[in-house]
């Protein structure tokens, strides 16, 4: 075996997975939005991500930045080649899903759009508050491109982190109590044992 | 939106002062003859009007408890609003209270009150109430202890963990952009409480405050420059004391959470201002007193290796905060990202920028210390010179931090009171141009007052840094003349760079019409 100890093998595996998982995700980007407003205008701000993905430079905007339920919004996507600046002019499709770690993502198709004046525009309207991910997909040079964009609609509605924090604290306190009781028992047994051995030695 | 920078005439004035002072130091002018820094410490008890209030504040456990309850109430409001409120950062109390008011105001509070914040810190209060709750009954105090009381491992008993946490916090703040997300702000708040509870449940005393808390350690180091301190009234009483209630605690009062012995206390770094020593001392020999600001950093603070690194990183990260709020930062980062092929959140580019911003000043400092050591022909070890002279960075970082935060505090907290009416920002709209005008017209202090304060702070920082250099180099190298020129150039360069940053328009942290530099 090349690796004489398990630690080295584990380290190599970790680095290998890390490296190649990065390669596999090269055409799938989850961008963090920048909340900005053109200072020359008095329109509500938009959320924006600029990203390099494969051979393309993509700008992705959601307007308004924080839509409310029932409010109509729009996604604008600009994609141009990094090497020569040419715009991508094929079809682009949009999907939306719930931004959840566990549970039902409930993915829905928003629509497919053709380029219009160098931009792909996709309208949306959400009925409920929540955290969503809008995904834009396109294919160029035989390769698929996927861009995810997190979107908060309305106010937050998640006290789950508080419950998790409370669970950790309660678990910690219970564990400490259990260990303390065991310590106490051990000390009692030890003192009893010491006491009895002292008695024996006195008898002898 | 950006804040205007410091006008040029102020900058010229500060530069003139810096050069004069540097020249005076090279010419070996003795500052102590006209320095207020040599005034003896004054106990608050000698101020007849302030004495009862200070006595009440330090002796009354009920007052401290009430202040803690208020701090915890605000903290819980931050969590609730962050999780349940609007995601618009300037309309949610979670982000405004945490980043504009608390984080910026905290540094300002050190300037007047030292480490007073630690005494009412909600993270520690919540951890204590969970792990070591106390009930004051009629005749006795009922104490529960849910801690394993383990001794922290040796690697943890330093400020390295706090240093790593501090870098992590900066990364989250400026790289991940936590300041623009009420939800992420709430998550961070929860994480800090959980960490405080876990550490208190595992280790004895307050290991989290002592070794891990980045805020506490930042407060601790800056407190070396504060004008207040908790110290013995009569040192002889402490020398004669055999029971050390300040260290061991008494039946009613806990021991010092960071294991300080009052009789040997020479620096504020680890004092959390909890007042346990004041309450437990049977001779009532511990009291707050006023002192000449910065005397501790200049003379009495002892150098340690890990603490030296914390102070250096504090300087670099303070400067880095300023850099990321310059208008050029975002474009530079984007250009750099294109070069290395980074995309999306540009976190790789940001992280590299963060590393470079730490490595470059630290390397320069390391070189100038060696140069000064060689020029002085001293036999003192490099490590000793490195740790001793590092105190020059503390006033530079503190002064810039204060000057920078004044902008956030004064300019971006306008209208914050409205947030207390609607802390969750329910049904509010975005900020607009009207808010920009409101900010300009409703600031607590006028723009010129802010500039004056910023200029005075920069002068103060430079002056203290030179005083530190003068005293410590004399102790270290037996003389302070041309041999300290490299370190002096370092001080001038750092303060000059900070001044230059203050001159530039500064991007708002989360305020109205925000274009936040950290959101890439």
């Amino acid at each position: 075996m090349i690796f004489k100890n398990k630690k080295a093998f584990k380290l190599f595996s970790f680095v290998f997975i890390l490296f190649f998982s990065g390669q596999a995700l090269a055409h799938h980007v989850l961008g963090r939005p920048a909340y900005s407003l053109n200072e020359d205008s008095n329109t509500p701000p938009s959320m924006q991500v600029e990203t390099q993905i494969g051979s393309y430079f993509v700008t992705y905007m959601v307007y308004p930045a924080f839509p409310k339920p029932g409010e109509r919004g729009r996604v604008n996507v600009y994609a141009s080649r990094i090497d020569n600046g040419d715009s991508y002019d094929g079809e682009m499709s949009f999907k939306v899903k719930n931004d959840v770690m566990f549970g039902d993502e409930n993915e829905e198709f928003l629509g497919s759009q053709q380029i219009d004046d160098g931009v792909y525009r996709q309208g949306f309207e959400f009925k409920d508050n929540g955290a969503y991910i809008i995904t834009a997909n396109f294919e160029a040079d035989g390769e698929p491109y996927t861009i995810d964009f997190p979107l908060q609609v309305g106010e937050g509605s998640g006290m789950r982190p508080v419950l998790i924090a409370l669970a950790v604290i309660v678990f910690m306190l219970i564990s400490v109590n259990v260990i303390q009781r065991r310590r106490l028992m051990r000390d009692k047994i030890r003192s009893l044992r010491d006491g009895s051995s002292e008695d024996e030695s006195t008898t002898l | 939106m950006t804040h205007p920078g410091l006008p040029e005439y102020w900058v010229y004035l500060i530069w003139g002062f810096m050069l004069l002072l540097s020249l005076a130091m090279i010419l070996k002018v003795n500052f102590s003859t006209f320095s207020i820094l040599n005034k003896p410490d004054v106990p608050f008890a000698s101020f007849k009007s302030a004495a009862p209030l200070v006595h009440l504040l330090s002796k009354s456990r009920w007052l401290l408890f009430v202040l803690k309850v208020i701090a915890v109430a605000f903290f819980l409001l931050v969590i609730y609003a962050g999780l349940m409120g609007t995601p618009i950062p300037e309309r949610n109390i979670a982000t405004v209270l945490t980043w504009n008011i608390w984080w910026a105001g905290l540094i300002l509070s050190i300037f007047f009150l030292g480490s007073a914040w630690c005494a009412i810190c909600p993270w520690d209060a919540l951890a204590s109430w969970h792990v070591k709750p106390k009930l004051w009954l009629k005749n006795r105090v009922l104490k529960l202890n849910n801690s394993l009381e383990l001794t922290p491992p040796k690697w943890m008993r330093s400020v390295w963990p706090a240093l790593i946490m501090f870098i992590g916090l900066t990364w989250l703040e400026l790289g991940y952009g936590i300041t623009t997300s009420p939800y992420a702000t709430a998550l961070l708040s929860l994480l800090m409480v959980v960490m405080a509870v876990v550490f208190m449940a595992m280790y004895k005393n307050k290991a989290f405050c002592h070794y891990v808390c980045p805020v506490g350690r930042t407060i601790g180091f800056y407190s070396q420059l504060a004008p207040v301190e908790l110290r013995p009234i009569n040192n002889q009483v402490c020398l004669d004391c055999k029971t050390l209630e300040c260290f061991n605690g008494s039946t009613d009062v806990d021991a010092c959470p960071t294991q300080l012995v009052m009789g040997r206390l020479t620096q504020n770094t680890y004092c959390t201002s909890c007042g346990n020593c004041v309450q437990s001392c049977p001779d009532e020999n511990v009291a707050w007193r006023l002192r000449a600001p910065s005397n501790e950093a200049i003379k009495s603070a002892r150098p340690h290796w890990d603490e030296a690194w914390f102070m250096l990183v504090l300087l670099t990260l303070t400067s880095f905060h300023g850099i990321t709020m310059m208008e050029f930062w975002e474009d530079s980062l984007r250009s750099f990202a294109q070069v290395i092929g980074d995309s999306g959140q540009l976190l790789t580019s940001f992280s590299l920028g963060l590393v470079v911003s730490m490595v470059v000043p630290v390397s320069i400092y390391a070189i100038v210390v060696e140069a000064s050591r060689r020029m002085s022909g001293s036999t003192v070890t490099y490590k000793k010179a490195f740790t001793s002279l590092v105190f020059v960075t503390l006033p530079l970082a503190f002064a810039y931090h204060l000057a920078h935060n004044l902008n956030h505090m004064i300019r971006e907290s306008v209208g914050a009171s409205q947030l207390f009416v609607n802390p969750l920002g329910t049904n509010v709209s975005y900020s607009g141009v009207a808010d920009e005008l409101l900010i300009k017209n409703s600031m607590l202090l006028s723009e010129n007052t802010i500039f004056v304060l910023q200029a005075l702070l920069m002068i103060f920082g430079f002056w203290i840094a030179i005083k530190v250099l003068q005293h410590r180099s004399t102790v270290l190298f037996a003389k302070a003349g041309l041999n300290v020129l490299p370190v002096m150039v370092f001080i001038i360069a750092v303060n000059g760079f900070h001044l230059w940053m203050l001159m530039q328009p500064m991007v708002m942290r989360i305020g109205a019409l925000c274009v936040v530099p950290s959101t890439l």
Side-chain angles (χ1 to χ4, degrees), chain B residues 78-364:
Chain B
V78 163
I79 293 175
Y80 183 71
L83 296 178
M84 303 298 287
T86 174
I88 304 173
E90 72 272 15
R91 298 300 198 210
N92 191 312
I93 201 166
T95 32
V96 175
L97 192 61
T98 306
W99 303 111
N100 277 1
I101 298 175
W102 172 72
W103 189 227
L106 183 69
I107 305 300
L108 201 65
S109 80
I110 303 168
F111 190 76
F112 299 104
L113 303 169
S115 57
W117 168 258
C118 292
I120 58 164
C121 168
W123 304 341
D124 176 61
L126 282 169
S128 300
W129 296 346
H130 278 96
V131 181
K132 296 176 181 175
K134 267 193 268 183
L135 271 177
W136 281 280
L137 303 174
K138 255 188 176 178
N139 300 321
R140 66 198 175 96
V141 182
L142 182 65
K143 290 183 186 176
L144 292 174
N145 190 350
N146 294 315
S147 172
L148 291 176
E149 302 281 355
L150 301 172
T151 303
K154 201 178 172 187
W155 61 264
M156 200 205 277
R157 295 201 297 269
S158 64
V159 291
W160 293 117
L163 180 62
I164 293 164
M165 286 284 289
F166 188 50
I167 296 170
L169 191 67
T170 305
W171 189 87
L172 281 176
E173 185 195 343
L174 303 171
Y176 189 75
I178 208 167
T179 55
T180 54
S181 166
Y183 191 81
T185 301
L187 289 188
L188 179 69
S189 308
L190 277 171
L191 178 71
M192 295 309 283
V193 171
V194 170
M195 284 184 74
V197 170
V198 168
F199 273 84
M200 194 175 280
M202 284 181 70
Y203 300 112
K204 61 183 176 188
N205 299 313
K206 290 190 177 173
F208 181 76
C209 305
H210 199 161
Y211 308 117
V212 184
C213 179
V215 177
R217 287 311 94 235
T218 302
I219 292 174
F221 283 105
Y222 279 159
S223 290
Q224 290 183 14
L225 305 163
V228 290
E229 62 183 9
L230 254 180
R231 293 289 187 277
I233 297 167
N234 181 350
N235 277 327
Q236 193 56 45
V237 174
C238 286
L239 288 172
D240 295 338
C241 178
K242 305 285 181 227
T243 45
L244 295 182
E245 277 84 357
C246 55
F247 180 76
N248 298 314
S250 64
T251 45
D252 288 353
V253 185
D254 287 339
C256 173
T258 49
Q259 298 155 287
L260 301 171
V261 178
M262 192 42 75
R264 291 204 293 267
L265 190 63
T266 54
Q267 58 191 82
N268 281 354
T269 317
Y270 297 102
C271 175
T272 59
S273 302
C274 66
N276 283 1
C277 50
V278 183
Q279 289 167 22
S280 64
C281 180
D283 301 303
E284 300 206 342
N285 190 42
V286 185
W288 284 99
R289 63 187 188 192
L290 270 177
R291 63 181 188 181
S294 318
N295 235 355
E296 186 178 313
I298 294 168
K299 291 175 184 169
S300 51
R302 284 175 296 170
H304 292 102
W305 186 239
D306 56 331
E307 294 174 0
W309 280 95
F310 194 96
M311 284 185 258
L312 262 178
V313 172
L314 193 57
L315 174 75
T316 61
L317 292 187
T318 305
S319 306
F320 185 64
H321 264 81
I323 295 170
T324 60
M325 290 179 193
M326 300 288 104
E327 284 183 303
F328 66 82
W329 167 254
E330 207 176 337
D331 290 336
S332 310
L333 199 71
R334 216 173 274 146
S335 308
F336 179 63
Q338 285 190 8
V339 171
I340 64 166
D342 185 19
S343 69
Q345 303 181 42
L346 306 191
L347 287 178
T348 308
S349 312
F350 175 84
S351 305
L352 284 171
L354 179 67
V355 170
V356 169
S357 78
M358 286 191 288
V359 169
V360 171
V362 169
S363 307
I364 295 172

Side-chain angles (χ1 to χ4, degrees), chain A residues 32 50 52 66 176 180 183, chain B residues 146-148 175 334 343 430:
Chain A
R32 183 165 58 80
E50 286 173 359
Q52 293 177 77
F66 304 109
V176 167
Q180 276 180 334
R183 266 186 188 172
Chain B
N146 294 315
S147 172
L148 291 176
R334 216 173 274 146
S343 69
Y430 305 92

Side-chain angles (χ1 to χ4, degrees), chain B residues 28-45:
Chain B
K28 298 174 189 173
V29 174
N30 187 6
F31 298 116
S32 56
T33 51
F34 52 89
S35 173
I36 61 156
L37 301 181
N38 294 314
K39 295 266 164 70
D41 299 345
V42 187
F44 271 105

Side-chain angles (χ1 to χ4, degrees), chain B residues 364-425:
Chain B
I364 295 172
Y365 172 76
I367 292 167
V368 298
V369 167
E370 178 60 6
S372 276
R373 198 174 71 97
R374 288 193 179 189
M375 281 169 74
S376 65
S378 168
T379 53
V380 71
T381 62
Y382 178 74
K383 195 172 176 179
K384 193 170 179 190
F386 187 94
T387 53
S388 190
L389 293 175
V390 81
F391 287 92
V392 300
T393 61
L394 207 53
L396 297 175
F398 190 46
Y400 176 68
H401 210 151
L402 281 168
H404 172 94
N405 277 4
L406 263 181
N407 267 335
H408 290 309
M409 270 285 288
I410 306 298
R411 295 175 194 272
E412 295 174 27
S413 301
V414 172
S417 55
Q418 290 168 13
L419 279 170
F420 289 92
V421 181
N422 183 7
L424 273 64

